Amino acid sequence: MKLNLKGEGKKHIQEIIKLRRHFHQYPELSGEEFETSKKVQEKLREYNIPFTTGYAKTGILGVIEGGRPGKTVALRADMDALPITEETNLPYASKKKGTMHACGHDAHVAMLLGTARLLNETKDKLSGKVLLVFQPSEEITPIGGAGPMLEDQVFAEHTPDVIFAQHVWPDLPVGQVGVLPGPMMGASDRFIVEIEGSGGHASMPHQTVDAIIVANSVIGNLQTIVSRNVNPVDSAVLTIGRIEGGYRYNVVADKVTFEGTIRTFKNKTKQMVKERFQSIVQGVTDSMGAKAKIEYYDGYPATVNDEQWANHIKRTSQQLLGPNSTPVVEPCLGGEDFSRFLLKYPGAYFWLGTAIPGVIKQNPLHDPMFMLNESAIQIGMELMAQIAIDALNHFQVEVEQSELQSVLGKVANFQ
Ligand code: NI
């Protein structure tokens, strides 16, 4: 009979919510997840799940060996918090001023521990292996934590045949799951531009190269990339989030710096936007007699789900949460480090609905008022476990079918 974990999380939910609140109270920034990592290790030890650590400093790989041989499914949770001061006034709000789990990674870690418990309890019935990947530094693009974990050979001994991750999502109600075949999250690049003109007296502009006027032209022209160069059926965003320059009202500014981000889904679009960006900044600046220095950082690639595995998540969600649990969703241009795992291994990423009931405008991720609905936690832990079980079963059926084919082939040859 097929293993079904619906409702099984209930017996652990108190502990998992307590853990989530603990992580929430003691958030750690990217690359500094030492206490979080220690707590995860302590729990894995308590659950008798073997693990190795030290990947990208604080990353952990837990391994649940099933009772029978089979393929390998990896499940990933990110662990880091953001440099934001929490304003929720929750009883378990962050105890660290200037650091907050405003992206729900506290819940991701707690849920994966819950999933680990559920899978470990039933491991004798599993055909294959489940890898628990606790990943640091998701929030520091472009380096991130997935790339460094791979460089540290996290999968040298156990190689995933498929990998999954979930992210809490305030725009979906609890009990709903957002998943798409193909691009789900965007590529996110970052740039800093310094424009250097020459300063002087505000009354004698002819003796200067006004960096503010140059920057103004550059920024105006950059807006034509998305409106005039990107194919209207593709998506791109170019946002300048900060600008700085000048001294006082009667001085022509010699220098302006601005920085921003470029988001795209398709690699082809990304390369085109990047090239147009560089040529507009250099071209406009040159034509106005100023100089430009560009720092361009290629960030996370787009998160692109394999169709087969996106549909797998959909099927499992519908079986566990009902036929209407996977509404149509639009992709999002936020960046996600899980994309690096998806470049190397097949798999898919999904959003777990965590909307606060009765609130029309949810506070978004990365907001000092971001909150998540804890009733989604049991769903998240059961769903991840069920996705892993169903994937192992799927592989098992494939193996059995190919064995059957080869037996039938031999019989046919014999005849
Ligand atoms: Ni996040």
Side-chain angles (χ1 to χ4, degrees):
M1 210 187 77
K2 193 188 141 186
L3 259 177
N4 186 334
L5 293 184
K6 189 171 175 60
E8 290 295 310
K10 199 167 178 212
K11 54 182 184 283
H12 303 306
I13 193 63
Q14 296 303 334
E15 184 207 354
I16 298 303
I17 286 189
K18 218 174 110 193
L19 273 169
R20 184 255 153 169
R21 293 183 177 188
H22 172 86
F23 293 129
H24 196 85
Q25 278 184 305
Y26 302 99
E28 292 176 298
L29 293 176
S30 310
E32 296 169 14
E33 308 86 344
F34 297 104
E35 295 304 316
T36 307
S37 178
K38 253 192 229 165
K39 189 83 186 166
V40 170
Q41 294 174 43
E42 186 188 306
K43 294 315 278 184
L44 290 176
R45 232 174 262 127
E46 185 188 316
Y47 305 158
N48 276 320
I49 297 173
F51 62 88
T52 45
T53 183
Y55 310 104
K57 283 200 294 199
T58 57
I60 301 161
L61 181 75
V63 182
I64 298 174
E65 295 267 4
R68 288 177 298 230
K71 299 269 185 177
T72 301
V73 177
L75 307 173
R76 171 276 211 170
D78 40 9
M79 304 194 284
D80 52 334
L82 286 155
I84 291 175
T85 297
E86 180 159 355
E87 292 172 12
T88 63
N89 284 324
L90 287 166
Y92 54 88
S94 169
K95 287 191 185 296
K96 288 188 188 169
K97 200 166 175 255
T99 309
M100 176 189 177
H101 267 297
C103 201
H105 300 186
D106 50 337
H108 300 170
V109 177
M111 288 190 292
L112 189 55
L113 285 169
T115 298
R117 265 201 105 163
L118 289 175
L119 289 171
N120 201 46
E121 283 167 356
T122 177
K123 68 178 174 187
D124 293 345
K125 295 181 189 148
L126 301 180
S127 302
K129 243 180 280 182
V130 179
L131 308 179
L132 311 159
V133 184
F134 293 91
Q135 183 214 303
S137 301
E138 195 281 327
E139 301 283 3
I140 44 156
T141 176
I143 303 161
M149 279 188 96
L150 290 168
E151 277 161 31
D152 286 345
Q153 304 294 320
V154 62
F155 297 134
E157 201 180 329
H158 313 279
T159 310
D161 293 292
V162 60
I163 185 162
F164 297 103
Q166 64 178 336
H167 203 296
V168 299
W169 209 248
D171 294 331
L172 287 172
V174 170
Q176 302 231 312
V177 169
V179 64
L180 284 166
M184 179 98 183
M185 304 283 284
S188 87
D189 294 354
R190 181 179 165 190
F191 57 80
I192 304 170
V193 174
E194 192 183 295
I195 288 173
E196 204 185 325
S198 63
H201 197 283
S203 67
M204 289 173 269
H206 58 293
Q207 294 174 353
T208 72
V209 176
D210 187 338
I212 287 180
I213 300 296
V214 178
N216 181 46
S217 294
V218 170
I219 291 168
N221 276 287
L222 286 176
Q223 298 311 312
T224 65
I225 302 176
V226 175
S227 67
R228 301 290 86 180
N229 301 130
V230 173
N231 183 332
V233 299
D234 292 337
S235 307
V237 170
L238 189 157
T239 291
I240 288 147
R242 194 182 73 87
I243 180 163
E244 196 179 312
Y247 305 98
R248 69 194 301 264
Y249 81 99
N250 63 352
V251 176
V252 170
D254 59 348
K255 218 182 258 176
V256 168
T257 47
F258 61 86
E259 59 182 315
T261 180
I262 288 171
R263 309 286 173 111
T264 47
F265 284 124
K266 290 185 182 158
N267 190 39
K268 203 174 91 188
T269 313
K270 176 206 140 118
Q271 293 308 335
M272 185 277 288
V273 174
K274 183 179 171 182
E275 274 161 36
R276 290 294 301 139
F277 171 84
Q278 278 161 333
S279 99
I280 286 176
V281 173
Q282 291 299 357
V284 173
T285 312
D286 273 1
S287 74
M288 296 179 83
K291 278 191 209 123
K293 203 174 93 199
I294 302 172
E295 286 174 51
Y296 195 98
Y297 303 98
D298 293 288
Y300 300 148
T303 303
V304 184
N305 283 343
D306 287 306
E307 194 175 342
Q308 177 199 355
W309 295 114
N311 289 334
H312 174 89
I313 292 173
K314 240 187 212 176
R315 253 191 324 270
T316 298
S317 303
Q318 288 172 1
Q319 279 164 14
L320 203 73
L321 306 167
N324 301 321
S325 58
T326 55
V328 177
V329 289
E330 299 279 337
C332 158
L333 278 170
E336 168 58 71
D337 193 13
F338 184 64
S339 54
R340 295 243 166 90
F341 287 127
L342 285 184
L343 283 183
K344 287 209 77 170
Y345 304 100
Y349 169 90
F350 65 95
W351 299 324
L352 178 77
T354 57
I356 306 289
V359 179
I360 295 166
K361 201 190 164 306
Q362 300 285 325
N363 288 97
L365 299 169
H366 293 209
D367 184 297
M369 284 291 290
F370 170 72
M371 282 180 262
L372 67 86
N373 189 335
E374 287 185 325
S375 52
I377 287 180
Q378 187 181 332
I379 296 174
M381 61 194 257
E382 288 176 8
L383 183 57
M384 272 295 236
Q386 192 70 49
I387 286 169
I389 290 172
D390 290 356
L392 290 177
N393 286 344
H394 164 87
F395 286 127
Q396 202 54 24
V397 170
E398 266 184 3
V399 169
E400 281 163 15
Q401 275 172 349
S402 77
E403 281 170 4
L404 188 66
Q405 287 297 331
S406 84
V407 170
L408 288 175
K410 275 180 201 153
V411 172
N413 284 338
F414 185 71
Q415 284 170 338

